[in-house]
């Protein structure tokens, strides 16, 4: 099976990092903004989207990219899936990742170093702002994704394992299955393989 894997929200927990570190920044700088915990990325800070980009995307993101914790079970399950013959394609649209300038070069290098540091195995790594292209070109059988923005764009092209999060609760499609851990992901992929072999 060809498996697509997103990074932010899937291999790591970016949402908790944003809440904790943006919260610390706002507190220390005595900034009051209306906070929406179920909003996705800049939608967490109503009428303060520019603040989010200025503080998180331009500053905190670099710390997260270098030091963000890998989700429990991710490296173990990916290794096991590859040992069983599945192909793992990491497909990310993280901020800066396809830019040509210094920030783009730095982010691509940082992502590769983070994957190596955390012993995340993969068969291909793709930087894109339109995952549909990679999903189709790589013939992805199932995409592991969390984003309420990108999932609707490619739900017609492949099956989705939606990593459950505060911000994606309204997503519902016939070919979307909600997962809560990397162990759930392994069980679901195994179930699909068994079902395919029984046909």
């Amino acid at each position: 099976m060809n498996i697509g894997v997103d990074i932010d929200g899937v291999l790591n927990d970016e949402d908790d990092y944003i809440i904790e570190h943006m919260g610390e920044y706002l507190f220390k700088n005595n900034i009051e903004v209306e906070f929406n915990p179920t909003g996705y990325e800049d939608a967490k800070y109503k009428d303060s989207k520019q603040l989010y980009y200025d503080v998180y995307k331009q500053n905190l993101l670099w710390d997260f990219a270098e030091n963000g914790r890998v989700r429990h079970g991710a490296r173990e399950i990916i290794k096991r899936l590859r040992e069983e013959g599945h192909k793992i394609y990491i497909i990310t649209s993280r901020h800066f990742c396809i830019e040509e300038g210094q920030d783009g070069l730095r982010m691509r290098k940082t992502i590769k170093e983070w994957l190596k540091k955390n012993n995340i195995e993969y068969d291909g790594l793709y930087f894109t702002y339109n995952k549909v292209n990679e999903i189709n070109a790589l013939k992805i059988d199932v995409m592991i994704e969390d984003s309420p923005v990108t999932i609707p764009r490619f739900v017609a092209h492949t099956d989705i394992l939606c990593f459950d999060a505060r911000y994606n609760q309204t997503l519902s499609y016939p070919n979307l299955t909600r997962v809560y851990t990397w162990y759930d992901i392994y069980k679901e992929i195994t179930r699909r393989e068994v079902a395919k072999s029984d046909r």
Side-chain angles (χ1 to χ4, degrees), residues 65-177:
E66 293 173 4
N67 304 306
R69 290 191 304 268
V70 66
R71 280 195 189 272
H72 184 69
R75 70 173 65 89
E76 169 196 350
I77 295 303
I78 286 174
K79 179 178 175 62
R80 188 164 174 179
L81 288 169
R82 292 186 77 239
E83 287 172 349
E84 294 175 1
H86 300 286
K87 299 293 185 185
I88 301 294
Y89 298 105
I90 296 176
I91 307 171
T92 181
S93 57
R94 180 186 281 170
H95 195 56
F96 298 126
C97 75
I98 67 163
E99 292 185 10
E100 293 300 320
Q102 286 301 113
D103 284 340
L105 291 170
R106 179 184 174 193
M107 183 56 77
R108 290 188 290 277
K109 181 173 183 279
T110 300
I111 288 171
K112 290 173 186 175
E113 289 174 350
W114 183 86
L115 291 168
K116 183 177 181 180
K117 178 175 74 173
N118 286 286
N119 299 311
I120 303 295
E121 299 180 8
Y122 55 91
D123 297 283
L125 173 60
Y126 298 86
F127 304 106
T128 182
Y129 281 154
N130 183 6
K131 294 183 182 181
V132 171
N133 294 334
E134 283 70 25
I135 286 168
N136 289 334
L138 296 166
K139 297 180 170 42
I140 297 296
D141 297 296
V142 63
M143 182 73 196
I144 307 168
E145 177 65 77
D146 66 303
S147 169
V149 174
T150 58
I151 286 175
R153 295 176 187 162
F154 56 69
V155 72
H157 300 269
T158 190
D159 287 346
I160 310 295
L161 294 185
C162 177
F163 212 110
D164 188 72
R166 287 174 281 253
Y167 47 78
N168 62 28
Q169 295 301 303
T170 61
L171 293 177
S172 178
Y173 298 96
N175 62 331
L176 182 149
T177 302

Side-chain angles (χ1 to χ4, degrees), residues 33-50:
V33 295
E34 188 175 341
F35 176 63
N36 173 19
T38 61
Y40 182 63
E41 295 189 341
D42 60 355
K44 288 189 183 310
Y45 304 96
K46 189 175 180 183
D47 301 324
S48 302
K49 291 186 177 185
Q50 192 59 49

Side-chain angles (χ1 to χ4, degrees), residues 1 7 18 85 92 141 156 177 181:
M1 186 179 289
I7 296 180
I18 291 172
T92 181
D141 297 296
T177 302
T181 69

Side-chain angles (χ1 to χ4, degrees), residues 15-26:
D15 196 53
D16 278 353
Y17 182 93
I18 291 172
I19 289 174
E20 290 168 4
H21 289 77
M22 281 292 291
E24 178 184 21
Y25 177 87
L26 297 171

